[in-house]
Amino acid sequence: ETAVFQTPNYHVTQVGNEVSFNCKQTLGHDTMYWYKQDSKKLLKIMFSYNNKQLIVNETVPRRFSPQSSDKAHLNLRIKSVEPEDSAVYLCASSVLGWNTLYFGAGTRLSVL
Amino acid sequence: GMPVEQNPPALSLYEGAESGLRCNFSTTMKGVQWFQQNHRGRLITLFYLAQGTKENGRLKSTFNSKERYSTLHIKDAQLEDSGTYFCAVEALNNNAPRFGAGTKLSVKP
């Protein structure tokens, strides 16, 4: 059953453009995450929000910025994309203190 | 970050066979979650464990916090079990689960 919704599914853009990805969860969870999965399938945490507050901010380039309007939404904006940003971006949510991560289907970004 | 190591990196099984996957970590963890990522890229939750053992059909997982490892055992492998299996762990003082590099499983007829 899908409860974490990501849009768009795919996005193709050119170097230097700005992109924005959306994520919404309908599980009533307090915590949301963005992960990046690269071409080698490595999954790395980028950001974590708890009830609209940033709690984890890994070493990601400053062109990446998360945006949360409420605890059910966590968007990701990338200003001026680079070729190395090509990846699948996965949004997840969980109850506070983790327990179980629920993932969206991902947004595949291709930077030409 | 903290190292999370998965073994083996790749595994090939014939239908009906069984095998185990392992996730080792370097510090005490709150819990472990196992996922299967299918050919469409969707991450499917298999188990979450804070301790002990859980079983679901042909799958069984254990979590040994003291010895710092978790295992996922698959028996009677089926073609649809093919995919990449990830473990994700969270340390006691950390705020986000971290993933191992995965085990790519291929089940052959």
Side-chain angles (χ1 to χ4, degrees):
Chain A
E1 183 185 344
T2 304
V4 181
F5 303 93
Q6 290 187 239
T7 57
N9 293 328
Y10 302 94
H11 190 82
V12 181
T13 190
Q14 301 206 332
V15 171
N17 285 349
E18 177 175 314
V19 299
S20 191
F21 305 147
N22 299 317
C23 181
K24 176 181 100 168
Q25 54 95 4
T26 57
L27 295 163
H29 289 163
D30 300 299
T31 308
M32 295 184 73
Y33 312 80
W34 277 106
Y35 285 84
K36 177 181 179 182
Q37 187 169 38
D38 63 21
S39 57
K40 294 180 181 177
K41 291 204 167 182
L42 294 174
L43 276 152
K44 292 185 180 175
I45 181 70
M46 299 176 70
F47 301 101
S48 171
Y49 265 72
N50 181 49
N51 204 9
K52 299 195 296 178
Q53 299 295 318
L54 180 66
I55 53 173
V56 169
N57 182 353
E58 290 294 291
T59 309
V60 298
R62 294 177 75 174
R63 60 181 179 277
F64 288 83
S65 59
Q67 299 163 324
S68 180
S69 56
D70 56 57
K71 71 175 190 177
H73 295 83
L74 182 63
N75 300 332
L76 182 66
R77 187 179 74 163
I78 314 173
K79 275 197 321 186
S80 190
V81 294
E82 300 283 337
E84 62 263 30
D85 298 338
S86 294
V88 177
Y89 292 86
L90 289 154
C91 175
S93 73
S94 72
V95 298
L96 181 63
W98 184 28
N99 200 311
T100 304
L101 280 175
Y102 293 82
F103 277 92
T107 294
R108 181 177 294 277
L109 173 66
S110 294
V111 180
L112 305 177
Chain B
M2 53 205 174
V4 182
E5 193 179 275
Q6 283 192 246
N7 288 299
L11 180 63
S12 186
L13 295 175
Y14 285 105
E15 275 186 294
E18 64 180 274
S19 190
L21 285 57
R22 189 163 170 120
C23 177
N24 296 318
F25 27 92
S26 58
T27 187
T28 304
M29 300 296 174
K30 278 184 199 176
V32 64
Q33 190 170 359
W34 284 92
F35 298 88
Q36 179 197 24
Q37 189 169 41
N38 61 21
H39 67 279
R40 292 178 182 171
R42 191 80 195 214
L43 278 161
I44 302 163
T45 296
L46 300 175
F47 295 103
Y48 172 83
L49 297 98
Q51 62 179 2
T53 299
K54 285 188 179 178
E55 204 161 343
N56 184 3
R58 297 179 294 103
L59 302 178
K60 180 178 174 180
S61 182
T62 61
F63 175 50
N64 189 322
S65 179
K66 191 174 178 182
E67 300 294 324
R68 300 178 182 174
Y69 74 89
S70 176
T71 61
L72 177 68
H73 193 84
I74 302 172
K75 59 182 181 183
D76 188 24
Q78 302 295 304
L79 296 176
E80 61 264 27
D81 295 334
S82 294
T84 303
Y85 289 78
F86 291 97
C87 65
V89 295
E90 186 173 350
L92 294 175
N93 60 351
N94 210 321
N95 288 311
R98 313 290 165 135
F99 282 75
T103 293
K104 185 172 181 179
L105 174 65
S106 300
V107 181
K108 300 177 180 178

